[in-house]
Amino acid sequence: MATIPFIQFSSLLLQYVGIPKTQLTSRPIPNRKAPIHDPVVDVSAGVIITLNAKEKETQRAPPIRCRHIAISTKEPFHGEVYDAFAWHIQRISRKHPELNITVDIYEQKQVGDFTAWMRDLGMITRPVKTAIDLRSDINRADLFNDGGMIDLVIPASAETDVEEHSDWLWDAYGQRPADKKFELASIMHHGHNTEHWTHLSKWSRLRLFRYFFISEHVAKKARSLLQSWGDKRDTRDASFEYIRTDVFIPILDFSSIIVPKELIPPRGLSRVAIQGNFDQYMRDYEGTFRDLVQSFEADPSAWGYLPLRSDDTSYKPDPRSTIPPFELHLLGGRGKLDIPKELQEVVKIHFNLEARKYWTILQTMHVILPAFSRGDEYYTSIASSTCHSAMQCNVPLLVTRRHRQAYTYLDDSVTIVRPQAISEVLAIKALRTDVMPELERAYAHNPILENDVKRMLAEGWRRPTSSFEAFKQRIWTKNDELVTRVLCGE
C-alpha cells in the first residue's frame, strides 16, 4: 500500500474534519499543563514544534480572549496576593502593548493601604476603584477605548468574595449579549474551605469558573475536595470535575525598597521576626516566648544580654557583647499579646503599621520564623502569608523538611532547614553562636540528627541577594506563563 507523506496526510485530515488549516496555524502551541480536554497542536508543518525560552520571548503576541480584567474584594488583608496577580497581568501588557490589556482593582473603602502603596511604587498603574464601581462597570460597553467589556472578573479572596459577588454577577452575565460574555475566577488560600462552593454550580456547569491556589498543598487539598463534591448526588450536576485549577505564587518585586544584605556591616544573627496577626491560633507566640525565657535563663550572654539581677524584671542588653543583642520583632495587625516581663526589652511590637513602613521593617530582618500554630492545617490545607512575605523581602525562612514538602516552591537557596527535634528558638541560638551544648545532648544517640544539625550550622543563616533574585525570577516566569494561559482562555 502506498504511503502518504505526513505533511500531505495532515492537510487531508484537516479537510476531512472540516477545519481550515489556517485556523490551527494561527493558534499557539499550548503549555503542557493545558487542560487535557482542549488539546491544540500545530500540524501545518508536519511536526510538533517546541519553542525554547529565547524563541518564546520573540514570538508574536498570543491570541487574547480575556483582555479586560477586574479584581474585586472586601478582604483587607490580602492585598499582596491579588496585587501580585494584577502586577503579572501588567507585565504581559507591557510586553504586548498592542493588545490593550487592562486590569482594574475594585476595593472596599475600608481595605488597607497596600494597593495605594503599590501605585506609589509604580507596580499598579491604573486608579483603584470601589466595589460599587464594579456594579456599574460590569456591563458598560464604553469603558475601554477598544469598545470591549470586562472579560474576566476575579473575586480576589475565594473564602469571602465569591459569595459576595456570585449572584449579582450571574445576573449581569445573563444581561450580556451572546458574544460579550465574561468568566469568573478566584484566588484560594484555604483548601478546605468549601462554604462558598454552593455559589459556584451555575458557573461551573458552563465551565466559566477557575481557581488559583497560592501553594501546591492548598491546590492538592482543594482538588481532592472538588473531586469528592463532583461524586455527590446533590452536587453531581455542577461539574466540579471540570473546574480549572492552577497554582499562583504571589511574590512581588520589592527590589526598590530592599537594602542588599551584602551592604549591611557584618554582624551576628540578631534581628528575627514573626509575621502575622497577634493570634495564638495563627502563630505559636506563647510557645516561642516560653522557649526564649528558658534559653535566656540558661545562658543570657548567648543572646547578648546580662543575667537578671534581684531588682530586674527584664533582661538588659550586655554592652560588652561582641554580637548585637537579640531582638524578636512581631509584625501584625489584629489581636493582642501578653509579653513575658522578662522579655520586655527583647520583643519589639509593630502593630497595625501602614504598608510602606511594615514592609520596610520586615526587609531588615535577618531571619523570619513561621511559628505555625493551628495543628497540621498550615501544612495540609492553608497557605501562610509568611512564606511569600519572606521571599519578597529577601529574608531567609527557618523551616523544616515538612514545611518544604508542603510549600514546594521553596528551596535551599532561600531557606534554612532545621530538624524537627530542634525548636525554632534553639535553632536561632545555634545559628547565632555557632555552638550549642543543648544540641549535643539532643543528638547524642542519633547520628542522622547530628549530621542535620552540622549541615544547618555549616550552611549558616545568610543567603545572598543573588539567590533570592534568581529564585524570584523562576517564580515570576512560571506566573507569567500562567497569566498568559488565562488571558488566552486556556
Side-chain angles (χ1 to χ4, degrees):
M1 183 175 68
T3 59
I4 302 175
F6 181 76
I7 296 176
Q8 182 181 352
F9 171 74
S10 65
S11 298
L12 291 172
L13 177 62
L14 293 175
Q15 295 174 20
Y16 176 76
V17 297
I19 302 175
K21 184 171 69 173
T22 55
Q23 182 173 330
L24 285 187
T25 59
S26 64
R27 299 179 70 179
I29 306 296
N31 185 288
R32 282 180 292 179
K33 293 183 179 178
I36 59 174
H37 47 268
D38 188 23
V40 181
V41 294
D42 187 343
V43 298
S44 60
V47 294
I48 296 176
I49 302 172
T50 302
L51 300 179
N52 60 36
K54 185 175 182 180
E55 290 169 330
K56 287 180 180 178
E57 285 294 318
T58 58
Q59 68 179 334
R60 62 187 176 182
I64 298 298
R65 282 183 54 190
C66 297
R67 195 177 306 273
H68 302 298
I69 297 88
I71 299 175
S72 180
T73 187
K74 66 175 184 179
E75 173 57 57
F77 298 107
H78 292 155
E80 76 275 11
V81 175
Y82 57 81
D83 281 354
F85 201 90
W87 177 64
H88 275 281
I89 294 173
Q90 290 183 171
R91 280 166 61 96
I92 304 302
S93 178
R94 285 192 294 268
K95 184 177 178 181
H96 298 291
E98 72 279 8
L99 295 176
N100 195 28
I101 299 169
T102 65
V103 56
D104 287 295
I105 296 175
Y106 297 80
E107 292 183 337
Q108 298 280 16
K109 287 185 178 180
Q110 71 269 23
V111 169
D113 63 346
F114 187 86
T115 301
W117 181 49
M118 289 295 95
R119 291 200 70 220
D120 291 343
L121 293 178
M123 299 181 70
I124 300 296
T125 57
R126 291 169 67 87
V128 179
K129 301 185 178 184
T130 69
I132 296 176
D133 292 330
L134 180 59
R135 290 180 178 260
S136 59
D137 286 353
I138 188 65
N139 279 346
R140 282 180 58 183
D142 61 346
L143 195 59
F144 306 104
N145 294 333
D146 60 3
M149 302 174 73
I150 293 173
D151 302 300
L152 175 65
V153 181
I154 303 177
S157 298
E159 294 80 4
T160 56
D161 292 324
V162 167
E163 180 178 357
E164 179 85 5
H165 290 75
S166 177
D167 291 342
W168 76 262
L169 281 174
W170 183 252
D171 292 339
Y173 176 88
Q175 296 167 15
R176 286 278 191 101
D179 61 342
K180 296 288 186 179
K181 299 298 187 182
F182 61 87
E183 296 188 6
L184 205 65
S186 196
I187 304 170
M188 198 166 183
H189 306 71
H190 297 190
H192 64 275
N193 190 320
T194 62
E195 293 177 6
H196 64 282
W197 284 10
T198 56
H199 299 272
L200 296 185
S201 56
K202 47 185 172 285
W203 300 95
S204 59
R205 285 190 189 101
L206 299 180
R207 200 166 176 266
L208 295 173
F209 185 84
R210 73 188 306 154
Y211 270 128
F212 308 116
F213 306 108
I214 63 172
S215 183
E216 189 63 48
H217 71 286
V218 175
K220 181 179 179 181
K221 179 67 173 182
R223 286 166 178 160
S224 175
L225 289 174
L226 284 170
Q227 294 294 316
S228 177
W229 276 53
D231 272 336
K232 290 182 179 179
R233 289 185 178 276
D234 54 346
T235 54
R236 185 175 294 165
D237 66 341
S239 297
F240 284 119
E241 176 184 3
Y242 300 108
I243 290 179
R244 288 162 290 175
T245 61
D246 292 283
V247 174
F248 173 81
I249 307 302
I251 296 177
L252 285 154
D253 183 4
F254 281 0
S255 57
S256 62
I257 70 163
I258 292 177
V259 177
K261 298 300 187 289
E262 291 83 353
L263 300 181
I264 299 175
R267 53 189 288 160
L269 172 55
S270 58
R271 293 174 62 83
V272 173
I274 298 176
Q275 173 270 349
N277 291 323
F278 297 158
D279 183 349
Q280 177 63 25
Y281 182 62
M282 308 288 284
R283 303 286 186 268
D284 188 16
Y285 295 104
E286 295 175 3
T288 302
F289 295 156
R290 283 196 301 270
D291 289 344
L292 274 174
V293 169
Q294 183 178 357
S295 186
F296 267 65
E297 289 174 350
D299 186 7
S301 64
W303 297 97
Y305 287 81
L306 295 167
L308 283 179
R309 297 178 301 183
S310 57
D311 56 342
D312 287 337
T313 58
S314 177
Y315 286 98
K316 309 292 183 184
D318 184 352
R320 299 166 300 176
S321 176
T322 58
I323 304 176
F326 173 80
E327 297 174 350
L328 177 63
H329 292 257
L330 309 180
L331 293 90
R334 286 185 292 184
K336 184 179 179 181
L337 296 173
D338 293 323
I339 311 300
K341 62 181 186 301
E342 300 95 327
L343 302 178
Q344 291 296 320
E345 295 192 35
V346 178
V347 177
K348 312 296 180 182
I349 299 290
H350 306 279
F351 180 74
N352 229 15
L353 300 179
E354 57 98 13
R356 183 187 301 274
K357 190 169 185 180
Y358 179 96
W359 293 98
T360 300
I361 290 175
L362 194 62
Q363 64 94 17
T364 66
M365 296 298 124
H366 296 162
V367 174
I368 292 178
L369 306 181
F372 286 164
S373 189
R374 298 187 69 136
D376 292 336
E377 289 182 329
Y378 276 123
Y379 302 107
T380 60
S381 60
I382 299 177
S384 169
S385 62
T386 292
C387 300
H388 59 256
S389 296
M391 300 303 102
Q392 285 176 156
C393 293
N394 290 6
V395 181
L397 194 63
L398 182 63
V399 300
T400 60
R401 288 191 184 89
R402 184 189 188 195
H403 189 131
R404 286 274 299 274
Q405 289 166 359
Y407 298 79
T408 56
Y409 61 90
L410 298 173
D411 61 35
D412 287 339
S413 69
V414 293
T415 60
I416 306 161
V417 179
R418 67 173 175 88
Q420 287 180 312
I422 308 302
S423 71
E424 290 178 337
V425 167
L426 291 184
I428 290 295
K429 181 181 178 183
L431 290 163
R432 176 181 165 87
T433 61
D434 204 31
V435 61
M436 197 170 191
E438 295 100 318
L439 293 187
E440 294 176 5
R441 290 193 295 271
Y443 59 61
H445 303 290
N446 190 334
I448 299 177
L449 173 58
E450 179 180 5
N451 288 336
D452 282 347
V453 171
K454 288 181 176 178
R455 178 186 174 187
M456 180 186 74
L457 295 178
E459 293 178 350
W461 58 271
R462 292 180 176 86
R463 297 294 182 268
T465 299
S466 58
S467 294
F468 284 98
E469 295 309 312
F471 168 83
K472 287 186 284 190
Q473 287 295 339
R474 293 192 294 271
I475 296 294
W476 294 337
T477 297
K478 292 180 180 179
N479 286 347
D480 282 346
E481 292 172 353
L482 165 62
V483 169
T484 298
R485 294 202 312 272
V486 172
L487 297 178
C488 291
E490 295 181 15

